[in-house]
Amino acid sequence: MKKQIKSNELMLHTITRVVTFIILAFSVYLFFAGHNNPGGGFIGGLMTASALLLMYLGFDMKSIKSALPFNFTSMIAIGLLIAIATGVSSMLFGYPFLTQFFEYYQLPILGETELTTALPFDLGVYLVVVGIALTIILTIAEDDA
Protein backbone atom coordinates (compact mmCIF):
# COMPACT_ATOMS: atom_id res chain seq x y z
CA MET A 1 0.00 0.00 0.00
CA LYS A 2 1.40 3.33 -1.14
CA LYS A 3 1.43 6.28 1.18
CA GLN A 4 -0.15 9.41 -0.31
CA ILE A 5 1.96 12.52 -0.11
CA LYS A 6 0.04 15.69 0.51
CA SER A 7 1.60 18.79 -0.97
CA ASN A 8 2.52 21.52 1.47
CA GLU A 9 2.02 24.90 -0.13
CA LEU A 10 2.40 27.00 3.01
CA MET A 11 5.30 29.02 1.59
CA LEU A 12 3.44 29.71 -1.67
CA HIS A 13 0.26 30.79 0.14
CA THR A 14 2.14 33.06 2.56
CA ILE A 15 4.20 34.77 -0.13
CA THR A 16 1.11 35.13 -2.34
CA ARG A 17 -0.77 36.94 0.43
CA VAL A 18 2.11 39.34 1.13
CA VAL A 19 2.87 40.11 -2.52
CA THR A 20 -0.82 40.54 -3.33
CA PHE A 21 -1.14 43.10 -0.53
CA ILE A 22 1.89 45.02 -1.83
CA ILE A 23 0.57 45.02 -5.42
CA LEU A 24 -2.90 46.15 -4.30
CA ALA A 25 -1.44 48.97 -2.19
CA PHE A 26 0.64 50.16 -5.16
CA SER A 27 -2.43 49.88 -7.37
CA VAL A 28 -4.40 52.18 -5.05
CA TYR A 29 -1.50 54.66 -5.07
CA LEU A 30 -1.36 54.66 -8.88
CA PHE A 31 -5.12 55.10 -9.08
CA PHE A 32 -5.18 58.20 -6.88
CA ALA A 33 -1.99 59.73 -8.30
CA GLY A 34 -3.21 59.36 -11.86
CA HIS A 35 -4.87 62.68 -12.60
CA ASN A 36 -1.75 64.75 -11.79
CA ASN A 37 1.08 62.23 -12.25
CA PRO A 38 1.64 59.06 -14.30
CA GLY A 39 -0.90 56.45 -13.34
CA GLY A 40 -4.68 56.45 -13.21
CA GLY A 41 -7.48 54.03 -13.78
CA PHE A 42 -5.87 51.99 -16.53
CA ILE A 43 -2.58 51.09 -14.88
CA GLY A 44 -4.25 50.85 -11.46
CA GLY A 45 -6.76 48.40 -12.94
CA LEU A 46 -4.00 46.33 -14.54
CA MET A 47 -2.13 46.16 -11.24
CA THR A 48 -5.30 45.09 -9.40
CA ALA A 49 -6.03 42.46 -12.03
CA SER A 50 -2.48 41.12 -11.70
CA ALA A 51 -2.83 40.94 -7.90
CA LEU A 52 -6.12 39.04 -8.19
CA LEU A 53 -4.60 36.78 -10.85
CA LEU A 54 -1.76 36.01 -8.46
CA MET A 55 -4.36 34.98 -5.87
CA TYR A 56 -6.02 32.69 -8.42
CA LEU A 57 -2.64 31.12 -9.23
CA GLY A 58 -1.56 30.66 -5.61
CA PHE A 59 -4.84 29.22 -4.37
CA ASP A 60 -7.46 27.06 -6.02
CA MET A 61 -10.17 28.65 -8.16
CA LYS A 62 -13.04 27.56 -5.91
CA SER A 63 -11.75 29.16 -2.72
CA ILE A 64 -10.91 32.48 -4.40
CA LYS A 65 -14.32 32.63 -6.10
CA SER A 66 -16.00 32.12 -2.73
CA ALA A 67 -13.79 34.77 -1.09
CA LEU A 68 -14.23 37.27 -3.96
CA PRO A 69 -17.77 36.75 -5.27
CA PHE A 70 -17.57 39.42 -8.01
CA ASN A 71 -19.34 39.21 -11.33
CA PHE A 72 -16.67 40.69 -13.54
CA THR A 73 -18.97 41.20 -16.54
CA SER A 74 -21.28 43.41 -14.50
CA MET A 75 -18.19 45.23 -13.22
CA ILE A 76 -17.42 46.13 -16.85
CA ALA A 77 -20.92 47.54 -17.34
CA ILE A 78 -20.81 49.55 -14.11
CA GLY A 79 -17.39 50.97 -15.05
CA LEU A 80 -18.61 52.00 -18.50
CA LEU A 81 -21.67 53.68 -17.02
CA ILE A 82 -19.54 55.64 -14.54
CA ALA A 83 -17.07 56.75 -17.23
CA ILE A 84 -19.82 57.79 -19.66
CA ALA A 85 -21.80 59.56 -16.93
CA THR A 86 -18.71 61.54 -15.98
CA GLY A 87 -18.27 62.69 -19.57
CA VAL A 88 -21.93 63.50 -20.12
CA SER A 89 -22.23 65.40 -16.84
CA SER A 90 -20.00 68.17 -18.19
CA MET A 91 -22.26 68.46 -21.23
CA LEU A 92 -25.22 69.13 -18.93
CA PHE A 93 -23.48 72.35 -17.86
CA GLY A 94 -22.73 73.43 -21.44
CA TYR A 95 -19.10 72.28 -21.59
CA PRO A 96 -17.56 69.81 -24.08
CA PHE A 97 -17.66 66.08 -23.38
CA LEU A 98 -15.16 65.01 -20.65
CA THR A 99 -14.28 68.54 -19.53
CA GLN A 100 -12.44 68.25 -16.22
CA PHE A 101 -13.36 70.35 -13.20
CA PHE A 102 -11.48 70.60 -9.93
CA GLU A 103 -11.78 72.38 -6.63
CA TYR A 104 -9.83 72.43 -3.38
CA TYR A 105 -11.66 71.50 -0.18
CA GLN A 106 -10.62 71.51 3.45
CA LEU A 107 -11.24 67.97 4.72
CA PRO A 108 -10.78 66.74 8.29
CA ILE A 109 -7.55 64.77 8.83
CA LEU A 110 -6.50 65.16 5.17
CA GLY A 111 -6.31 68.96 5.16
CA GLU A 112 -6.59 70.80 1.85
CA THR A 113 -7.48 68.23 -0.79
CA GLU A 114 -8.07 68.60 -4.51
CA LEU A 115 -11.22 66.87 -5.76
CA THR A 116 -11.59 66.46 -9.51
CA THR A 117 -14.06 65.01 -11.99
CA ALA A 118 -11.18 62.95 -13.39
CA LEU A 119 -11.38 60.66 -10.35
CA PRO A 120 -14.82 59.17 -11.13
CA PHE A 121 -13.76 58.78 -14.77
CA ASP A 122 -10.62 56.94 -13.62
CA LEU A 123 -12.81 54.77 -11.39
CA GLY A 124 -14.89 53.80 -14.42
CA VAL A 125 -11.75 52.94 -16.42
CA TYR A 126 -10.37 51.04 -13.42
CA LEU A 127 -13.50 48.87 -13.14
CA VAL A 128 -13.59 48.22 -16.89
CA VAL A 129 -9.93 47.17 -17.01
CA VAL A 130 -10.20 44.87 -13.97
CA GLY A 131 -13.43 43.36 -15.30
CA ILE A 132 -12.15 42.74 -18.83
CA ALA A 133 -8.74 41.41 -17.77
CA LEU A 134 -10.14 38.94 -15.25
CA THR A 135 -13.04 37.89 -17.48
CA ILE A 136 -10.63 37.00 -20.28
CA ILE A 137 -8.10 35.28 -18.03
CA LEU A 138 -10.68 33.29 -16.04
CA THR A 139 -12.53 32.27 -19.20
CA ILE A 140 -9.32 30.85 -20.61
CA ALA A 141 -8.45 29.18 -17.29
CA GLU A 142 -11.87 27.55 -16.93
CA ASP A 143 -11.87 26.20 -20.49
CA ASP A 144 -11.76 22.42 -20.37
CA ALA A 145 -10.87 21.89 -24.01
Side-chain angles (χ1 to χ4, degrees), residues 27-137:
S27 166
V28 169
Y29 166 75
L30 286 174
F31 172 74
F32 283 111
H35 61 277
N36 289 329
N37 299 314
F42 185 78
I43 192 65
L46 285 178
M47 294 291 291
T48 299
S50 68
L52 294 176
L53 177 62
L54 182 62
M55 292 293 288
Y56 277 105
L57 290 173
F59 298 91
D60 61 310
M61 188 87 71
K62 221 179 257 185
S63 63
I64 298 299
K65 279 195 174 190
S66 66
L68 299 171
F70 296 121
N71 183 353
F72 294 112
T73 52
S74 60
M75 185 183 288
I76 297 168
I78 291 168
L80 279 173
L81 286 174
I82 291 172
I84 290 171
T86 304
V88 171
S89 66
S90 63
M91 292 176 66
L92 296 175
F93 297 105
Y95 293 98
F97 183 73
L98 279 178
T99 300
Q100 178 181 337
F101 301 100
F102 65 93
E103 191 66 43
Y104 291 94
Y105 293 96
Q106 196 69 19
L107 298 176
I109 299 172
L110 298 176
E112 186 177 51
T113 305
E114 178 187 24
L115 297 178
T116 68
T117 57
L119 192 62
F121 178 77
D122 278 345
L123 176 64
V125 172
Y126 178 89
L127 291 174
V128 168
V129 169
V130 170
I132 287 176
L134 287 174
T135 298
I136 291 170
I137 291 167

